[in-house]
Amino acid sequence: MTLRVLAAMSGGVDSAVAAARASEAGYDVTGVHLALSKNPQSYRSGARGCCTVEDSRDARRAADVIGIPFYVWDMAEEFDREVVADFVSEYAAGRTPNPCMRCNERIKFEAVLDRALALGFDAVCTGHHVRVDDGRLRRSVDGGKDQSYVLAVLNSEQIAHSVFPLGDSTKEEVRAEAARRGISVAEKPDSHDICFIADGDTAGFLNERLGGEPGPIEDESGTVLGEHNGAHTYTVGQRKGLNLGGTPERRYVLSIEPVNNTVRVGPRESLLVDEIVGERPVWSGRAPATEPLSCGVQLRAHGEVYACRAWQRDEELVIRLDEPVAGVAAGQAAVLYEDDIVLGSATIASTSRSAEPATVS
């Protein structure tokens, strides 16, 4: 029986080639573009490949070239509630969210996949650079474009109903293939910034929604070193833009305390942590580890992988790093790997530093 596949087409080159490959592989493919903005003209255009009217038109043209049916689904309300509102509330709480990860979790592989299955489709196809090996997510062959980190929120059932045709190709190969197929977005620039912040000014976007109430910038002893115009515009590990002229040494943001509207700063050494506690753990590459598991952990998109031990404790994921790491921000994801295979993930809730560096026995 031919599998029915719903191809999510953003308007970029990756999703277009993914849909073309799925169709060529013999799947019964239908393309769909997600209209995510209540006011599409307010979203950034040109290099987005995600959310604008221009992107919708690019996706439709690609579907015509491939020869597949194409629809637009209005998911602006869900996107505003699950991604934009969550982004604002996370910053208001002193955390640093990853909106692309939340969009994958709540929109593309929850709302869209659930609707697709209800309509009789067998799977959703996307242009993410990731592989699936025996039901487990695995890094793309193109390390620079690998997106396994932002898909680590998916559970095993969602992975089983997903098709990722690009994981064995580099981005250069994908662009070359798009050109050969006559797909007009072959050279369309990749998206990099947050799609719903049209001018790229995250601080301004947050100030509009949360206000810019001034507050103190303090050192670890509580001494006031300066003033900020909104604690939510800072993130843990930040060094630039603190405007602390006259301090004898470099200062970094250590914490954001929304209750008293305080930004706390200090030397880089004070950023070092070796224990991370994550909430909402998802295990997709193995059963939950109830005993310490030696593995690697990635703490930001395209970041370094650190050796650690990790295990689930009740509803939390506990991670002990072999060596202390600086600049770990609550709200980001901690993704566990065994070589290039995703084991699981959790949202970072808190960090701490033990008296002695952690080691693996």
Side-chain angles (χ1 to χ4, degrees), residues 268-312:
R268 188 177 184 280
E269 292 71 26
S270 295
L271 279 173
L272 295 172
V273 300
D274 59 16
E275 181 164 300
I276 298 167
V277 176
E279 57 190 7
R280 302 193 304 275
V282 175
W283 295 88
S284 60
R286 54 156 293 146
T290 56
E291 299 293 332
L293 169 72
S294 295
C295 57
V297 62
Q298 186 172 325
L299 302 172
R300 58 182 63 87
H302 305 294
E304 186 177 347
V305 176
Y306 304 97
C308 70
R309 289 179 296 168
W311 66 96
Q312 185 160 332

Side-chain angles (χ1 to χ4, degrees), residues 219-220 225 239 242 244-252 265-270:
D219 66 14
E220 293 173 277
L225 304 177
R239 179 175 67 84
L242 300 183
L244 298 178
T247 54
E249 58 183 11
R250 287 183 175 178
R251 304 280 181 164
Y252 298 80
V265 300
R268 188 177 184 280
E269 292 71 26
S270 295

Side-chain angles (χ1 to χ4, degrees), residues 193-217:
D193 302 309
I194 299 168
C195 68
F196 53 85
I197 301 180
D199 59 2
D201 181 8
T202 301
F205 176 87
L206 292 169
N207 278 333
E208 281 184 14
R209 287 152 181 79
L210 298 174
E213 182 182 353
I217 299 177

